[in-house]
Amino acid sequence: MIGVQPLDALAQPAATELIRQIEASRALRAVRIDTDPAAGDCADKPYVAAARLASTVIHGNAGWTFDIGLVLVDCAGWNVDEFHESTVLAHPPTDADSEKLGMGLSLRLSTWMHIERGFSSALLASGLAYDPATKKPAYFYTLFKTDDGNMRAFVRPGGPAYVAGLRTNDIIDKLDGKYWWEYGTYQTEQRAYDGKPHVFDVTRGKAKLHISLREPFKSIP
């Protein structure tokens, strides 16, 4: 089951068409959802992945540029891939225009599933965005520097980093006992992908926490 979530009014007809095409394929089921998959882990969710659709409209000299983007995430909101369909119109975009882009997005999604057969099969079987071909240990979190100058975490609910206690928007003060700027911005961000059990000192609101990662996720059976 794939959850389909339109994030604005113009994306709704595209979402309806995407659901129609998924159901017509008979290979998958689809359901409309209205909550952010990243708001919680996968417990009790009826879908293993979600397609989140958002529209962009730019009015210029050539007309109205109309784009709908589809962000594919797993059942806990961890990014899998992103697709776009766009067109230039002589008029403001209508529901019919949105439906056409939705049909194009359904083709992009089915093409991706065919090309990334191993990845998509694992996603649909487990609800986890993990490519078994890599066989790489993963903790399912990222680190990124924000405009306020802090290094923060983005954490997949239910993943190993989440289980260890790390949460999205935690401010990273120290990593493995050193202030993150002692490593450098890029070097710190890359440590989220090395599959190693790092130790963090973080600020969450007014609280100071010490968090140690444990075992990573290694493979899908």
Side-chain angles (χ1 to χ4, degrees):
M1 180 85 75
I2 292 182
V4 178
Q5 183 181 27
L7 298 177
D8 56 74
L10 271 175
Q12 289 188 24
T16 299
E17 183 61 29
L18 179 62
I19 291 172
R20 184 183 297 120
Q21 294 296 325
I22 290 173
E23 292 283 346
S25 73
R26 298 181 181 273
L28 290 172
R29 297 291 307 280
V31 61
R32 189 177 293 247
I33 60 174
D34 58 9
T35 57
D36 184 355
D41 64 22
C42 296
D44 300 323
K45 290 180 181 176
Y47 55 88
V48 292
R52 309 186 77 206
L53 281 66
S55 69
T56 301
V57 180
I58 300 174
H59 186 198
N61 294 332
W64 282 262
T65 300
F66 181 35
D67 176 275
I68 295 183
L70 185 162
V71 177
L72 181 65
V73 300
D74 71 15
C75 57
W78 193 254
N79 277 30
V80 177
D81 215 323
E82 182 172 349
F83 317 102
H84 285 265
E85 281 288 313
S86 61
T87 186
V88 178
L89 304 167
H91 53 79
T94 65
D95 287 358
D97 298 317
S98 179
E99 288 178 3
K100 290 179 181 178
L101 296 190
M103 184 174 291
L105 287 170
S106 72
L107 179 60
R108 287 185 180 273
L109 179 60
S110 62
T111 300
W112 175 84
M113 292 176 62
H114 178 75
I115 294 173
E116 300 289 347
R117 194 181 301 272
F119 192 3
S120 63
S121 295
L123 173 66
L124 296 174
S126 68
L128 186 66
Y130 182 82
D131 187 350
T134 67
K135 303 185 185 302
K136 185 176 180 180
Y139 283 93
F140 293 100
Y141 73 100
T142 60
L143 301 174
F144 60 99
K145 187 178 178 182
T146 49
D147 291 340
D148 58 10
N150 288 312
M151 183 68 65
R152 294 179 183 266
F154 177 77
V155 185
R156 180 195 186 275
Y162 186 93
V163 171
L166 199 63
R167 294 292 183 268
T168 293
N169 285 326
D170 279 352
I171 296 174
I172 309 301
D173 298 319
K174 290 184 178 181
L175 192 159
D176 296 334
K178 292 184 178 181
Y179 292 105
W180 64 265
W181 56 81
E182 295 183 63
Y183 301 109
T185 299
Y186 176 79
Q187 292 83 354
T188 299
E189 292 172 343
Q190 289 305 298
R191 278 169 166 77
Y193 304 102
D194 62 10
K196 296 180 180 179
H198 296 292
V199 177
F200 298 91
D201 290 287
V202 309
T203 298
R204 185 184 304 159
K206 295 182 179 180
K208 298 287 186 179
L209 304 171
H210 184 76
I211 298 168
S212 299
L213 301 186
R214 303 181 187 115
E215 287 295 315
F217 180 85
K218 294 181 180 179
S219 65
I220 294 174

